[in-house]
Amino acid sequence: MNDALNLTGRILIALLFLGGAAQKLGDPTPVSDMIASIGLPLWLVWPVAAFNLIAAVGLIFGPNVRAWALILAAYCIFTSYFHYQLRADPWQVTIMVKNWSIAGGLLILAAQGPGRYVWR
């Protein structure tokens, strides 16, 4: 049961990153606008989209689920900085706190490991 719950949790967390990749690839304008508003180059949307996609797949299937969980936790904390820059918008603060919560779950996953259901 624990291994099935672990896999289900990994899939649910990965869906967030898969959705982020799909959003960036399908309509990069909102993310590009946010990136531009804090002075970063617009082309960053593409490597971030690729990272979201690759990391989500790695989180679900492995190998190295613990490493992906740590990398994604750091990514969530790092990207919170950009949402903090837009803190005049309450929605951006909510996203920042959501990122911290996801990072917490990813750190637990990194500590506990992926269980039996992982491609090795």
Side-chain angles (χ1 to χ4, degrees):
M1 177 88 167
N2 285 341
D3 292 325
L5 290 173
N6 185 302
L7 176 61
T8 302
R10 291 191 341 250
I11 291 169
L12 291 172
I13 293 171
L15 284 175
L16 179 72
F17 296 101
L18 288 171
Q23 174 197 18
K24 290 169 187 73
L25 294 170
D27 182 13
T29 304
V31 176
S32 295
D33 290 347
M34 185 175 76
I35 289 171
S37 76
I38 55 176
L40 294 173
L42 296 177
W43 60 263
L44 283 177
V45 71
W46 305 115
V48 170
F51 169 75
N52 283 180
L53 179 61
I54 292 166
V57 171
L59 192 64
I60 295 170
F61 296 107
N64 302 320
V65 170
R66 287 180 194 242
W68 282 117
L70 286 173
I71 291 165
L72 283 168
Y75 172 80
C76 286
I77 297 300
F78 177 75
T79 58
S80 292
Y81 170 78
F82 301 109
H83 295 286
Y84 180 75
Q85 298 306 306
L86 304 169
R87 64 189 172 275
D89 177 359
W91 183 244
Q92 296 299 323
V93 175
T94 300
I95 292 172
M96 183 181 73
V97 173
K98 173 202 59 108
N99 282 354
W100 294 348
S101 300
I102 294 164
L106 288 162
L107 290 173
I108 292 169
L109 176 59
Q112 297 302 312
R116 289 184 307 168
Y117 302 133
V118 65
W119 187 4
R120 297 189 194 267

